[in-house]
Coordinates of all heavy atoms in Angstrom, one line a residue:
L14 N 95.8 98.1 116.7 CA 94.3 98.0 116.9 C 93.7 99.3 117.3 O 92.4 99.4 117.3 CB 94.1 97.0 118.0 CG 94.3 95.5 117.7 CD1 94.1 94.7 118.9 CD2 93.5 95.1 116.6
P16 N 93.3 102.3 115.6 CA 92.4 102.9 114.6 C 91.1 102.1 114.5 O 90.0 102.7 114.4 CB 93.2 102.8 113.3 CG 94.6 102.7 113.7 CD 94.6 102.0 115.0
R17 N 91.2 100.8 114.6 CA 90.0 99.9 114.5 C 89.1 100.2 115.7 O 87.9 100.4 115.5 CB 90.4 98.5 114.5 CG 89.2 97.5 114.4 CD 89.6 96.1 114.6 NE 90.5 95.6 113.5 CZ 90.7 94.3 113.3 NH1 90.1 93.4 113.9 NH2 91.5 94.0 112.3
N18 N 89.6 100.3 116.8 CA 88.8 100.6 118.0 C 88.2 102.0 118.0 O 87.1 102.2 118.5 CB 89.6 100.3 119.3 CG 89.7 98.8 119.5 OD1 88.8 98.1 119.2 ND2 90.8 98.4 120.1
L19 N 88.9 103.0 117.4 CA 88.4 104.3 117.3 C 87.1 104.3 116.4 O 86.1 105.0 116.7 CB 89.4 105.3 116.8 CG 90.5 105.7 117.8 CD1 91.6 106.6 117.2 CD2 89.9 106.4 119.0
V20 N 87.2 103.6 115.3 CA 86.1 103.6 114.3 C 85.0 102.8 115.0 O 83.8 103.2 114.8 CB 86.6 102.9 113.0 CG1 85.4 102.6 112.1 CG2 87.5 103.8 112.3
I21 N 85.3 101.8 115.8 CA 84.2 101.0 116.5 C 83.5 102.0 117.5 O 82.2 101.9 117.5 CB 84.8 99.8 117.2 CG1 85.2 98.8 116.2 CG2 83.8 99.2 118.2 CD1 86.0 97.6 116.7
I22 N 84.2 102.8 118.2 CA 83.6 103.8 119.1 C 82.7 104.7 118.4 O 81.6 105.0 118.8 CB 84.7 104.5 119.9 CG1 85.3 103.5 120.9 CG2 84.1 105.7 120.6 CD1 86.6 104.1 121.6
V23 N 83.1 105.2 117.2 CA 82.3 106.1 116.4 C 81.0 105.4 115.9 O 79.9 106.0 116.0 CB 83.1 106.7 115.2 CG1 82.2 107.4 114.2 CG2 84.2 107.6 115.7
L24 N 81.2 104.2 115.4 CA 80.0 103.5 115.0 C 79.0 103.1 116.1 O 77.8 103.2 115.9 CB 80.4 102.2 114.2 CG 81.0 102.4 112.9 CD1 81.7 101.1 112.4 CD2 80.0 102.9 111.9
R25 N 79.6 102.8 117.3 CA 78.7 102.5 118.4 C 78.0 103.8 118.8 O 76.8 103.7 119.2 CB 79.5 102.0 119.6 CG 80.2 100.7 119.4 CD 79.3 99.5 119.7 NE 78.7 99.7 121.0 CZ 78.3 98.7 121.7 NH1 78.4 97.4 121.3 NH2 77.7 98.9 122.9
A26 N 78.6 104.9 118.8 CA 78.0 106.2 119.2 C 76.9 106.5 118.1 O 75.8 106.9 118.5 CB 79.0 107.3 119.2
Y27 N 77.2 106.3 116.9 CA 76.1 106.5 115.8 C 74.9 105.6 116.1 O 73.8 106.1 116.0 CB 76.7 106.3 114.4 CG 75.7 106.3 113.4 CD1 75.2 107.4 112.8 CD2 75.0 105.1 113.0 CE1 74.2 107.4 111.8 CE2 74.1 105.1 112.0 CZ 73.7 106.2 111.4 OH 72.7 106.3 110.5
L50 N 79.6 98.1 111.6 CA 80.3 97.7 112.9 C 80.9 96.3 112.9 O 82.0 96.1 113.2 CB 79.3 97.9 114.0 CG 79.8 97.6 115.4 CD1 80.9 98.5 115.8 CD2 78.6 97.6 116.4
V53 N 83.9 96.0 110.4 CA 85.1 96.7 111.0 C 85.7 95.8 112.1 O 86.9 95.7 112.2 CB 84.9 98.1 111.4 CG1 86.0 98.7 112.2 CG2 84.6 99.0 110.1
Q54 N 84.8 95.3 113.0 CA 85.3 94.5 114.1 C 86.0 93.2 113.5 O 87.0 92.8 114.0 CB 84.1 94.1 115.0 CG 83.6 95.2 115.8 CD 82.4 94.7 116.6 OE1 81.6 94.0 116.1 NE2 82.2 95.3 117.8
E55 N 85.4 92.7 112.5 CA 85.9 91.4 112.0 C 87.2 91.6 111.1 O 88.1 90.8 111.1 CB 84.8 90.7 111.2 CG 85.1 89.3 110.7 CD 85.0 88.3 111.8 OE1 84.3 88.6 112.8 OE2 85.7 87.3 111.8
V58 N 89.8 98.4 109.7 CA 89.3 99.6 109.1 C 89.3 99.6 107.6 O 88.3 100.0 107.0 CB 90.1 100.8 109.6 CG1 89.7 102.1 109.0 CG2 90.0 100.9 111.2
W96 N 81.9 95.5 125.2 CA 81.5 96.7 124.5 C 81.8 96.7 123.0 O 81.4 97.6 122.3 CB 82.1 98.0 125.2 CG 81.2 99.2 125.1 CD1 80.1 99.4 125.7 CD2 81.4 100.3 124.2 NE1 79.5 100.6 125.3 CE2 80.4 101.2 124.4 CE3 82.4 100.7 123.3 CZ2 80.3 102.4 123.8 CZ3 82.3 101.9 122.7 CH2 81.2 102.7 122.9
G97 N 82.4 95.6 122.6 CA 82.6 95.5 121.1 C 84.0 95.9 120.7 O 84.3 95.7 119.5
L98 N 84.8 96.3 121.6 CA 86.2 96.7 121.2 C 87.0 95.4 120.9 O 86.7 94.4 121.4 CB 86.9 97.6 122.2 CG 86.2 98.9 122.5 CD1 86.9 99.6 123.6 CD2 86.2 99.8 121.3
I99 N 88.1 95.6 120.1 CA 88.9 94.4 119.7 C 90.2 94.5 120.6 O 90.9 95.5 120.6 CB 89.2 94.5 118.2 CG1 87.9 94.5 117.4 CG2 90.1 93.3 117.8 CD1 87.0 93.4 117.6

Side-chain angles (χ1 to χ4, degrees):
L14 290 175
R17 181 186 295 198
N18 285 326
L19 289 175
V20 171
I21 288 170
I22 290 169
V23 169
L24 287 169
R25 296 275 307 206
Y27 171 84
L50 179 63
V53 169
Q54 286 173 327
E55 189 75 26
V58 175
W96 210 70
L98 298 176
I99 304 300

